Amino acid sequence: MPRKLVVGNWKMNGSCAANRALVADLRKAGVDAAADVAVCVPFPYLQQVGELLAGSAIRLGAQNVSAFEAGAHTGEVSCAMLREFDCHFVIVGHSERRVMQRETSVEVAHKAAAALAAGLVPIVCVGETLAERETGKVEAVLQSQLDALGGALTADALARVVIAYEPVWAIGTGVAATPAQVQAVLGFVRDWLEQRAVAANVPVLYGGSVKPDSAQELFGLPGCDGGLIGGASLVAADFVSICEAARLS
Ligand code: PGA
């Protein structure tokens, strides 16, 4: 059975001292023996965390990237810059950016395409709000988010992405989606990928309030290849337990 992928999304958290302590704890626990593990850190810490991870199999990622190559885009960071800091992954389309920075699915798809062209692996986040779930729109929302991606990527490129299903209402709330809810959406995503003949290659993760006590059941669901972990990725003991749950699931 392939190893699960567990990705920490530190969001806008961390400090040089806290990063040092957290990475030291993850290395000491050997999380990379339990699963494929990555941490997606704020831009200013890419160099520091990259150096702290040297010699371990824990991979480095960023949390956003520009779809543009270079030039007059004040405050933005390019794919080539991320590559210079040995990033492997970049999260695109996190719901916090879709909501707060008003990123559209088309922009997210262009970011994913730029990332792939630069040799990065985009972790493309999709998911519905509570209002959309309560009004029966889950599949329509996912379909439109995924179709935008399909519209911007060739089948070859699509085969190299990671998809993270993150219901907006489960992020940072302490209320994870139920296994039945997750399974239903993962099935929908798999069907969408299958229609494009790339389902076998694309890891599909779940994210949203994954904790040590819920991780094993969620990761063990059919078609679940691991998780995107926010709050719990900042607490070494929790992230270590979640990686261990990935090994057991
Ligand atoms: P959470 O965040 O685990 O804190 O809910 C997940 C995410 O936003 O990726």
Side-chain angles (χ1 to χ4, degrees):
M1 209 167 43
R3 278 152 56 104
K4 303 283 179 186
L5 172 61
V6 182
V7 180
N9 171 14
W10 289 5
K11 308 195 181 190
M12 198 172 73
N13 294 293
S15 67
C16 290
N19 304 344
R20 248 191 315 275
L22 179 52
V23 172
D25 285 348
L26 300 184
R27 291 193 67 149
K28 199 159 77 193
V31 286
D32 44 342
D36 290 339
V37 177
V39 289
C40 294
V41 311
F43 292 137
Y45 298 133
L46 285 172
Q47 172 147 13
Q48 183 211 14
V49 176
E51 285 168 7
L52 292 170
L53 291 176
S56 105
I58 303 171
R59 286 184 152 136
L60 184 64
Q63 301 170 13
N64 179 41
V65 74
S66 173
F68 298 99
E69 273 184 30
H73 300 283
T74 302
E76 295 293 304
V77 168
S78 73
C79 295
M81 293 172 188
L82 296 186
R83 290 288 294 154
E84 284 210 294
F85 289 92
D86 286 334
C87 275
H88 182 83
F89 292 109
V90 60
I91 297 171
V92 296
H94 191 282
S95 65
E96 286 152 16
R97 297 198 59 83
R98 289 181 189 261
V99 171
M100 290 184 248
Q101 274 73 34
R102 299 188 201 285
E103 284 186 11
T104 66
S105 294
V106 170
E107 285 164 340
V108 170
H110 287 151
K111 289 180 179 208
L116 287 161
L120 294 158
V121 177
I123 299 172
V124 185
C125 299
V126 294
E128 81 288 354
T129 63
L130 188 56
E132 289 163 345
R133 174 164 285 274
E134 286 176 347
T135 50
K137 298 198 184 109
V138 176
E139 294 196 352
V141 168
L142 270 281
Q143 180 87 40
S144 101
Q145 293 172 339
L146 291 169
D147 282 351
L149 190 66
L153 301 185
T154 63
D156 274 3
L158 191 60
R160 291 183 282 127
V161 307
V162 174
I163 306 268
Y165 168 52
E166 294 211 314
V168 179
W169 49 272
I171 294 175
T173 60
V175 184
T178 65
Q181 289 170 326
V182 175
Q183 197 172 335
V185 176
L186 294 185
F188 180 82
V189 174
R190 284 266 163 234
D191 286 348
W192 186 92
L193 291 167
E194 237 154 58
Q195 285 157 22
R196 283 144 194 90
V198 294
N201 301 317
V202 176
V204 184
L205 313 181
Y206 168 75
S209 294
V210 176
K211 303 290 178 218
D213 58 357
S214 59
Q216 193 174 339
E217 185 176 16
L218 290 166
F219 295 167
L221 293 170
C224 184
D225 298 305
L228 181 55
I229 318 298
S233 74
L234 297 168
V235 180
D238 286 357
F239 195 62
V240 169
S241 300
I242 289 170
C243 294
E244 185 56 20
R247 187 175 67 81
L248 299 171
S249 62

